[in-house]
């Protein structure tokens, strides 16, 4: 399934991370956002083990329904063992996440670069933690 | 009774009858129950509120969000997207506050039975609209068995 054929979305792969954004400069219409998130849900469901960054910088407005769709998207990603991170939230939308305490379940970054870099950090951390501690006898 | 910020949507007051007179009606529109008509109405209403200097620039998106939540609730949950049923938006201005009244022609509902998204877990995919209205507006009350929501901000 090609994401870019799904209407408003655009995507690029940076260092193994699928960075997904919106094709248009400003998106305000709720139905358009919901429809787009539904397309993205189909994409996430179709694959597994993805590293995904969703750039919301074009999104000017998000309703409770949009938040619900994003939560659903995160659940789908986790069920497919993918990792979904968000970036580019405008101030009112960031506040909305804080009000609804969704910043507790979503990993949110300022920019797409911050978000993609965070995967490298996670990989490094995973590498360190999986290495045996000094002095650990070899199995 | 006005809703305090600490209170939750599950404790929103519901009144049997219609809302009492709130002041002068300064904006009034009616739409059929079509979700496509909600955002254009919200945009027009917010532009009107800005022209009247009732909404400060940093509050614009919050007011738009509350109007959109209330109108979508009326279209989807109240009137069940029945195009023949109408949704009404009335904006009023009194000496102390401005507000919006959104009403539908559905069977009504009990906000007390809507689960609180913060108490019932963060992973729910619905049920945040009432909470957001209660959070962002100074006053939020339900009338006509839940068919009408009144939301208001102090001037």
């Amino acid at each position: 399934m090609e994401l870019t054929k799904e209407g408003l979305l655009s995507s690029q792969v940076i260092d193994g991370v699928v960075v997904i954004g919106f094709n248009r400069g400003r998106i305000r219409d709720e139905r358009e956002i919901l429809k787009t998130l539904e397309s993205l849900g189909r994409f996430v469901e179709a694959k597994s083990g993805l590293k995904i960054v969703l750039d919301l910088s074009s999104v000017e407005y998000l309703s409770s329904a949009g938040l619900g769709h994003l939560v659903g998207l995160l659940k789908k990603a986790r069920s497919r063992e993918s990792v979904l991170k968000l970036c580019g939230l405008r101030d009112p939308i960031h506040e909305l996440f804080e009000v609804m305490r969704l910043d507790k379940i979503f990993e949110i970054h300022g920019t797409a670069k911050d978000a993609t870099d965070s995967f490298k950090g996670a990989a490094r951390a995973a590498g360190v933690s999986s290495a045996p501690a000094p002095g650990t006898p070899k199995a | 009774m006005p809703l305090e910020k600490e209170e939750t949507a599950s404790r929103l007051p519901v009144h049997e009858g219609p809302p009492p007179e709130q002041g002068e009606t300064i904006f009034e529109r009616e739409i059929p129950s079509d979700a496509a008509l909600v955002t254009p109405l919200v945009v027009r209403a917010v532009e009107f509120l800005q022209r009247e200097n009732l909404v400060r620039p940093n509050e614009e998106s919050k007011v738009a969000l509350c109007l959109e939540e209330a109108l979508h609730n009326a279209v989807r949950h109240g009137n069940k997207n029945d195009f023949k049923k109408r949704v009404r938006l009335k904006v009023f201005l009194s000496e102390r506050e401005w507000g919006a009244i959104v009403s539908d022609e559905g069977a009504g509902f009990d906000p007390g039975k809507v689960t609180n998204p913060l108490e019932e877990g963060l992973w729910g995919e619905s049920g945040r609209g009432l909470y957001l209205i209660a959070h962002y507006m100074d006053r939020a009350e339900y009338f006509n068995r839940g068919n009408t929501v009144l939301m208001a901000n102090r001037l």
Side-chain angles (χ1 to χ4, degrees):
Chain A
M1 178 180 174
E2 285 185 52
L3 191 60
T4 46
K5 284 185 178 170
E6 293 282 313
L8 285 168
L9 291 170
S10 63
S11 68
Q12 56 180 322
V13 179
I14 303 171
D15 296 334
V17 180
V18 186
V19 180
I20 300 166
F22 289 78
N23 283 329
R24 237 184 266 168
R26 297 169 63 186
I27 301 180
R28 167 69 181 78
D29 190 288
E30 191 208 39
R31 289 180 321 137
E32 212 166 54
I33 294 166
L34 298 186
K35 200 176 156 191
T36 307
L37 291 176
E38 281 162 16
S39 301
L40 191 50
R42 289 192 290 274
F43 171 78
V44 169
E45 269 185 331
K47 310 203 174 195
S48 60
L50 290 176
K51 296 172 187 170
I52 307 165
V53 170
L54 178 59
D55 186 344
L56 294 175
S57 55
S58 297
V59 177
E60 286 199 330
Y61 172 82
L62 209 52
S63 67
S64 65
L67 291 176
H69 275 56
L70 281 172
V71 170
L73 196 61
L74 184 59
K75 288 199 288 199
K76 277 176 190 160
R78 287 190 171 194
S79 73
R80 302 292 293 157
E81 296 182 349
S82 295
V83 178
L84 171 70
K85 302 183 180 188
L86 304 179
C87 72
L89 277 64
R90 292 171 182 238
D91 287 346
I93 293 178
H94 202 280
E95 187 186 328
L96 197 56
F97 272 72
E98 288 175 345
V99 167
M100 298 313 307
R101 298 181 195 161
L102 293 177
D103 54 333
K104 308 288 181 209
I105 62 171
F106 280 97
E107 188 173 325
I108 301 171
H109 294 269
T111 64
K113 185 176 185 314
D114 293 341
T116 50
D117 284 352
S118 73
F119 280 105
K120 293 177 202 163
R124 272 199 301 275
V128 169
S129 63
S130 64
T136 305
K138 284 181 184 174
Chain B
M1 182 194 278
L3 180 81
E4 297 297 328
K5 288 292 174 205
E6 308 83 59
E7 291 192 71
T8 64
S10 61
R11 298 185 202 118
L12 281 167
V14 189
H15 309 278
E16 279 292 317
E21 206 53 47
Q22 298 294 319
E24 185 191 353
T25 299
I26 54 174
F27 181 94
E28 197 167 13
R29 295 287 187 281
E30 193 176 288
I31 56 169
S33 298
D34 181 349
L37 302 175
V38 167
T39 298
L41 175 56
V42 171
V43 169
R44 278 201 297 277
V46 171
E47 282 172 357
F48 171 83
L49 290 165
Q50 286 173 311
R51 281 200 303 277
E52 297 294 316
N53 291 318
L54 294 172
V55 178
R56 288 179 284 275
N58 61 341
E59 289 181 343
E60 175 197 317
S61 62
K62 293 171 189 167
V63 169
L65 176 66
C66 292
L67 288 174
E68 190 132 0
E69 296 290 347
L71 288 163
H72 271 301
N73 279 345
V75 167
R76 285 180 190 146
H77 305 300
N79 288 347
K80 312 281 186 205
N81 297 300
D82 181 348
F83 196 77
K84 292 190 291 295
K85 290 182 176 172
R86 315 288 288 182
V87 170
R88 291 172 192 84
L89 167 66
K90 190 159 91 170
V91 177
F92 66 85
L93 178 63
S94 70
E95 282 182 10
R96 290 176 301 161
E97 60 185 7
W98 75 266
I101 298 171
V102 174
S103 44
D104 62 59
E105 298 174 356
F109 79 110
D110 180 359
K113 290 186 177 159
V114 177
T115 54
N116 184 301
L118 301 188
E119 290 171 0
E120 301 294 324
L122 303 175
W123 291 93
E125 294 178 37
S126 62
R128 294 183 174 86
L130 299 191
Y131 181 87
L132 287 171
I133 294 172
H135 181 84
Y136 281 132
M137 301 297 287
D138 293 330
R139 179 160 76 103
E141 294 180 58
Y142 288 79
F143 295 87
N144 288 332
R145 306 176 317 280
N147 271 344
T148 302
V149 57
L150 182 156
M151 59 182 99
N153 272 348
R154 287 185 289 275
L155 293 176

